[in-house]
Amino acid sequence: MNPNSDLQLVPETLLKKRHDLDALQAKRAAEAINNPRVSRKRISDKSKKVKVVKAETILIQSRHRKNARTRFNRVSKKGMQTRASDKSVVKTKVWDSVKEEEVDEKELEKRQEKEQQDKAAADDSDDEEEADEKNDQQLHKIPYKANSIGATTVFAVLIRPTIHTTPKPVKKTLSTLRLRRMHEGVFLPYTDATRKMLHLVEPYVLYGMPSTETISDLVRRRGFCRVDGKRVPLADNNVIERELGDVGLICVEDLVQVLSSASLDAMEGEKDGTFGKVTKFLWPFRLTSRKSKFQSKMLDLKEGKLYGDQGEAMNGYIREML
């Protein structure tokens, strides 16, 4: 009887792999003995690659930095001259009740052209009246506030990266607003000081007045709190009661109520008030991009001049980024 019959057989490929690993370890140990400096600092293939930056790229970045600094200085001295308004602006949007989505202006023009062509081709007047009634029932014009004048709370999101082309004053202002990462959002009391800071960094942020329903969705779906300097999920009311029980807040509904209507202490700029404690307790909301990398790069879809104060339209943008 063979004494090795009870032993488990090892595949030959595995034995070869072990042999190669042992040889590699022995080789590295010998190199460490002969030249210890090389063994401490190994040069990877990625570090050997040389990145070439064209002179035109450096000039463009310098021009962007200069333009951003010029705009910051102009707004800090003279204020906003064209985009800002001290009065509430009301606009109208077209809502498709069948598809449950907002109709773009270009799409609305295409629909109107198609309807005119159908009317010209149609002979029966009754069919035309039925088509007009059906279209009126499908499309609805809804007025909304296009700016945040009169609001007590706004929600701001950083939509542009703060890279080396961004001037230092802009980075400092964004850091004061606690907007340090791409697609991070924070709640801010809409005071005169906050409004001026938002005007200074307006090309980098998207802000507006969220509704109570949107605030509730944000807190419940993307809510994280700060406990002992750590980012903790807002999944239990006991955490809220333990951290904010001294100001009478014990659950998520209380947070939503405070965020939806900033109190007088927040409007006066007091950081130790209820609104200031709630915003300090909540970690900045990390949202997603409105368009995926495939849409923005492969399909070359650009958002254009979508930045600054959006008023009540901010609710739709927040839901796209949730």
Side-chain angles (χ1 to χ4, degrees):
M1 185 176 180
N2 190 3
N4 299 327
S5 59
D6 295 337
L7 296 177
Q8 186 178 3
L9 298 177
V10 181
E12 186 177 359
T13 55
L14 185 58
L15 293 174
K16 288 182 177 179
K17 190 174 183 180
R18 290 178 181 175
H19 179 269
D20 294 340
L21 289 175
D22 293 340
L24 183 60
Q25 289 178 359
K27 183 180 178 181
R28 287 181 176 176
E31 289 179 356
I33 294 173
N34 296 331
N35 195 354
R37 291 186 178 180
V38 176
S39 63
R40 292 176 187 172
K41 184 179 179 181
R42 292 190 172 275
I43 302 174
S44 61
D45 295 336
K46 294 183 179 180
S47 62
K48 291 181 181 179
K49 294 181 180 178
V50 179
K51 185 178 180 181
V52 179
V53 181
K54 296 181 180 180
E56 293 84 355
T57 305
I58 298 175
L59 290 174
I60 292 173
Q61 293 175 354
S62 176
R63 193 180 300 116
H64 288 174
R65 193 184 305 111
K66 181 180 178 182
N67 292 340
R69 191 182 297 109
T70 303
R71 182 199 174 276
F72 185 91
N73 295 334
R74 184 183 70 247
V75 174
S76 61
K77 292 179 181 179
K78 299 182 180 180
M80 295 285 288
Q81 298 175 352
T82 55
R83 291 177 64 91
S85 176
D86 295 332
K87 298 181 180 179
S88 180
V89 179
V90 179
K91 294 184 179 180
T92 305
K93 64 180 179 180
V94 181
W95 182 262
D96 193 340
S97 59
V98 177
K99 297 182 179 180
E100 294 186 354
E101 62 180 9
E102 185 179 354
V103 182
D104 193 10
E105 294 180 357
K106 295 182 180 179
E107 186 178 353
L108 184 62
E109 291 177 359
K110 290 181 181 179
R111 287 190 180 185
Q112 291 176 353
E113 291 178 359
K114 187 177 180 181
E115 290 174 4
Q116 292 177 359
Q117 293 176 0
D118 294 341
K119 286 182 180 179
D123 297 332
D124 193 358
S125 60
D126 295 336
D127 296 338
E128 292 181 6
E129 293 178 357
E130 291 179 0
D132 293 339
E133 291 179 359
K134 185 178 181 181
N135 188 27
D136 294 338
Q137 294 176 358
Q138 181 178 354
L139 300 179
H140 303 280
K141 292 184 178 181
I142 303 174
Y144 70 97
K145 290 184 178 180
N147 57 5
S148 302
I149 298 297
T152 57
T153 308
V154 293
F155 186 76
V157 183
L158 184 63
I159 57 173
R160 287 180 60 184
T162 54
I163 53 179
H164 50 274
T165 57
T166 307
K168 288 184 179 180
V170 176
K171 290 183 179 180
K172 187 175 180 180
T173 307
L174 289 172
S175 180
T176 305
L177 296 173
R178 298 192 302 135
L179 295 172
R180 300 179 181 89
R181 291 183 54 174
M182 187 78 165
H183 301 126
E184 269 193 351
V186 293
F187 286 98
L188 300 170
Y190 200 56
T191 60
D192 294 337
T194 307
R195 187 186 180 197
K196 185 175 181 180
M197 284 193 289
L198 288 172
H199 287 172
L200 290 172
V201 297
E202 189 164 278
Y204 296 86
V205 296
L206 186 73
Y207 64 96
M209 41 194 300
S211 62
T212 305
E213 184 180 358
T214 305
I215 295 174
S216 178
D217 290 343
L218 265 174
V219 175
R220 295 179 187 278
R221 295 173 60 179
R222 298 279 182 170
F224 282 80
C225 60
R226 189 188 306 274
V227 179
D228 298 332
K230 297 181 180 179
R231 186 171 180 262
V232 180
L234 197 63
D236 192 0
N237 288 333
N238 293 329
V239 181
I240 303 174
E241 187 175 2
R242 184 171 62 251
E243 298 292 330
L244 300 175
D246 55 344
V247 292
L249 305 179
I250 59 174
C251 60
V252 176
E253 287 76 8
D254 295 340
L255 296 181
V256 173
Q257 184 177 3
V258 172
L259 293 174
S260 59
S261 58
S263 55
L264 294 175
D265 55 0
M267 298 304 295
E268 293 174 359
E270 296 183 9
K271 296 183 179 179
D272 297 333
T274 305
F275 187 86
K277 289 184 177 180
V278 170
T279 53
K280 188 178 180 180
F281 168 71
L282 291 174
W283 200 280
F285 296 86
R286 295 180 181 177
L287 307 177
T288 58
S289 176
R290 293 181 60 244
K291 295 178 181 178
S292 63
K293 292 183 179 180
F294 174 77
Q295 290 177 320
S296 59
K297 291 184 179 180
M298 301 298 293
L299 300 182
D300 195 19
L301 295 178
K302 298 181 180 179
E303 297 184 2
K305 297 182 179 180
L306 183 60
Y307 64 87
D309 192 359
Q310 301 297 323
E312 293 180 347
M314 189 66 187
N315 293 304
Y317 300 134
I318 293 175
R319 296 189 182 280
E320 290 180 5
M321 291 185 283
L322 277 177

